[in-house]
Amino acid sequence: MAYALVGLGPALAWLAWISWGGEWASDAMHVAWFGTVAATCVLAGGLAPRTRTHLAALAVTAIIATIATLFLWWSTDASDGLFMIGIMLATPMVSLAAPILLLVGRRLIPTMPNVR
């Protein structure tokens, strides 16, 4: 479930907030997109198994899915290639934010006890 959240979260957030806004979605819709992607990362961190391997794999999945969604989104809006500057600026921020948000989710959402 956690992998589905971080893998599909950015694309589904784009469908929910941006796609229906036409050619020029409002700034509030862009903020809603980023907020939704961050929330899915926090939720995924809480649902993920409590190992470093899963945390690292989830972080990599979240980074790739977010940057790929931004690339597909921005490349369809701009034909001059200047969107690549935005991708270069967003990549370090997303790379830093994804593991932090996953750790926040791990701390906020307690683990479920094993019920037998």
Side-chain angles (χ1 to χ4, degrees):
M1 181 62 135
Y3 288 97
L5 281 171
V6 296
L8 297 175
L12 294 176
W14 181 84
L15 283 172
W17 296 110
I18 306 297
S19 66
W20 60 270
E23 188 174 324
W24 300 102
S26 70
D27 288 341
M29 296 300 178
H30 290 86
V31 171
W33 181 83
F34 280 103
T36 303
V37 172
T40 59
C41 236
V42 170
L43 185 59
L47 295 175
R50 305 290 194 210
T51 64
R52 289 182 186 153
T53 306
H54 282 290
L55 183 68
L58 281 169
V60 169
T61 304
I63 294 164
I64 291 171
T66 302
I67 296 301
T69 302
L70 287 174
F71 179 82
L72 292 171
W73 170 13
W74 291 345
S75 66
T76 58
D77 289 345
S79 60
D80 56 4
L82 289 176
F83 68 93
M84 286 306 293
I85 295 170
I87 297 293
M88 288 187 291
L89 292 172
T91 300
M93 289 185 275
V94 169
S95 298
L96 181 64
I100 291 171
L101 291 169
L102 289 166
L103 286 171
V104 166
R106 181 179 277 188
R107 293 289 181 177
L108 289 178
I109 302 171
T111 59
M112 298 296 290
N114 290 333
V115 180
R116 293 181 186 241

